[in-house]
Amino acid sequence: MVVGELTEDVDLLVVGGGPGGYVAAIRAAQLGRQVVLIERGAVGGVCLNVGCIPSKALIQTADDLFQLQKGVRRGIAVSAASVNLSEFQAFKAGVVARLTGGVRQLLNHYGVRVMEAEARFLDPHQVRAVGEFETVKVRFRHAIVATGSRPRPLDLLPIDGRVVCGSTELLALSRIPAHLVVVGAGYIGLELGTAFRKLGSAVTVLEARSQILPGYDPALVRLVARRLEELGVEVRLNAELTSATVGAESAEIHVTGPRGSATLTADAVLVSVGRIPNTDDLDLSRAQIRLGPNQRVEVDEALRTSNPDVAAIGDIVPGPMLAHKASYQGRVAAESLSGLPSAFDATAVPAVIFTDPEIATVGMTESEARAAGYDPVTGRFPYAANGRAMTLGAEGGEAVVVADRASGQVLGIHVLGAHASDLVGEAALAVEMGATLEDLALTMHAHPTLAETLMEAAEAALGRPIHVVLRSSG
Ligand code: NAI
């Protein structure tokens, strides 16, 4: 019941408690600001509660099962391995609870007050926060908007949470679907489609465009496409959904494409056709905050919006919708609104796709470097020539280093292969620090590790690789 409307004065208000908002709140508190964080759902946002973390738990579990099953080649004998999805859900819930509990403790420690409510702007320095029991007007000196994104809906297949799922609902299943149809071969569709295939589902992926992971370098995508085929995932490219009938336990999906028309019967459907920013229910215009293309908030280098007392970060501003970008921007926004000379430099935003094998990239590809006016030199090193990759049974993959030919400055690093997600840290450091090929090549890398592929790719770019023969020199 609404008891009344109080007005509070707040020094720095953060709207949204995901990896962008909670980091901004902590950083601002470290700088001596009095911070209130308004969150309508759970602290930790999509990433910790229903996105990055739960999906990685599922992907790891599915891959462990798969590795056991294929481990026969290495002498592992397993009579019957299986995954109990209900028990997995309990494990996943424990991981999420530990992480979100940790974030709450940190916020507490820094004196950040968390308000469970939904905020909408009333004017350039005020929001109305509607909670379950009370509505409060919050007058702020500065604010950081970090409201994130939600799945883009598909008119033909509205999410019902039983048969038609978004990633949130699919990750909460406690049964393994017999046939999962995935609509959209982007990050989410491929990560979860691969995981459910490894858990035993038949999986069909429908993609409107002519390649999986559209926009990604086809050379990086090729091995993922091949692995999907080996796993028995059916991928239909240039696919158009013409109609769908959804029942209580299954759905019939009609699809047309170059391979003709088909009717697919699925007991679970994942709709993963992109995400849209949560900028439409904030009354941003009342706060004089301007939107740019695709409903994203326009910001300057310091992440200030057209209202100079309000910053915006994460999925609601231009750039990739990635948790680590949001967190980074959270720090920048907290600092810039607190008078520090902080700015967002987007040259090295790493991106990881947890497919099989993983794809991890940072900086420019060779064609992007050329388009930017560089004369690029590229070095490659295959996982097949790396001892650690062989011991993992993961020879499929390569590390690619792109550099400016004249100066040797590393412009981009792209890794396709097992644990690429762990190698991208060094890659991001190299790009961010403007390291040269020599820096990478002369840094002693521990043996035997996958990270040696980065050193060897740099050596290949310098024309002196030890463990591969360059085609031009052969
Ligand atoms: P996405 O934009 O990556 O992919 C959507 C795909 O759906 C595209 O390939 C598009 O061509 C296709 N599509 C659109 N409409 C379609 C239709 N009607 N029929 C068939 N295909 C259709 O979006 P996704 O996978 O939903 O992920 C959203 C975002 O979340 C990503 O951009 C990423 O930034 C973030 N994310 C990041 C992860 C990570 O860092 N590992 C994991 C998951 C998501």
Side-chain angles (χ1 to χ4, degrees), residues 49-71:
N49 291 284
V50 293
C52 320
I53 297 297
S55 67
K56 262 74 271 174
L58 184 82
I59 289 163
Q60 188 63 48
T61 301
D63 195 57
D64 286 349
L65 176 69
F66 179 68
Q67 295 296 339
L68 274 180
Q69 286 163 345
K70 78 165 197 189

Side-chain angles (χ1 to χ4, degrees), residues 17-18 20 150 166 261 267 307 398 455:
R150 61 182 186 273
S261 301
D267 52 347
N307 173 342
E398 66 174 348
M455 172 182 73

Side-chain angles (χ1 to χ4, degrees), residues 175-428:
R175 64 183 169 95
I176 296 170
H179 184 196
L180 170 69
V181 168
V182 174
V183 185
Y187 277 47
I188 294 178
L190 292 188
E191 288 187 3
L192 296 183
T194 304
F196 274 94
R197 176 68 197 124
K198 287 178 176 172
L199 290 173
S201 299
V203 175
T204 307
V205 178
L206 308 177
E207 168 54 51
R209 314 259 294 268
S210 58
Q211 83 161 45
I212 58 168
L213 297 171
Y216 262 80
D217 186 346
L220 288 173
V221 167
R222 209 168 297 133
L223 194 56
V224 176
R226 199 187 315 150
R227 189 66 56 83
L228 288 170
E229 201 178 317
E230 283 166 17
L231 286 168
V233 173
E234 188 196 5
V235 179
R236 287 174 172 258
L237 298 174
N238 301 302
E240 191 193 334
L241 269 69
T242 48
S243 66
T245 316
V246 181
E249 294 192 344
S250 67
E252 284 209 335
I253 296 173
H254 304 276
V255 56
T256 62
R259 291 162 57 184
S261 301
T263 302
L264 308 170
T265 305
D267 52 347
V269 180
L270 168 65
V271 178
S272 49
V273 294
R275 298 184 65 85
I276 50 175
N278 291 328
T279 50
D280 47 354
D281 50 4
L282 287 164
D283 289 331
L284 291 173
S285 58
R286 290 188 178 192
Q288 287 160 20
I289 297 172
R290 242 193 339 263
L291 288 180
N294 301 317
Q295 303 299 302
R296 307 260 190 135
V297 178
E298 281 180 7
V299 284
D300 64 12
E301 259 189 3
L303 301 168
R304 285 177 196 259
T305 66
S306 44
N307 173 342
D309 290 330
V310 179
I313 60 171
D315 292 3
I316 63 167
V317 305
M321 289 183 170
L322 297 170
H324 46 272
K325 176 200 123 193
S327 298
Y328 192 102
Q329 291 185 328
R331 287 190 285 264
V332 171
E335 289 171 1
S336 68
L337 287 179
S338 304
L340 296 181
S342 195
F344 180 64
D345 165 10
T347 48
V349 183
V352 178
I353 313 179
F354 290 82
T355 38
D356 183 359
E358 294 177 357
I359 299 176
T361 68
V362 61
M364 296 182 219
T365 60
E366 189 179 311
S367 49
E368 285 165 353
R370 197 164 288 120
Y374 290 99
D375 172 18
V377 58
T378 295
R380 305 176 170 273
F381 191 81
Y383 266 46
N386 174 276
R388 181 66 183 127
M390 285 187 212
T391 63
L392 289 168
E395 292 97 327
E398 66 174 348
V400 180
V401 174
V402 179
D404 173 39
R405 194 183 299 274
S407 64
Q409 185 186 339
V410 176
L411 302 171
I413 298 184
H414 312 274
V415 185
L416 168 70
H419 300 284
S421 53
D422 296 322
L423 303 193
V424 82
E426 175 180 341

Side-chain angles (χ1 to χ4, degrees), residues 18-31:
Y22 84 72
V23 169
I26 290 174
R27 184 70 190 113
Q30 286 175 341
L31 292 169

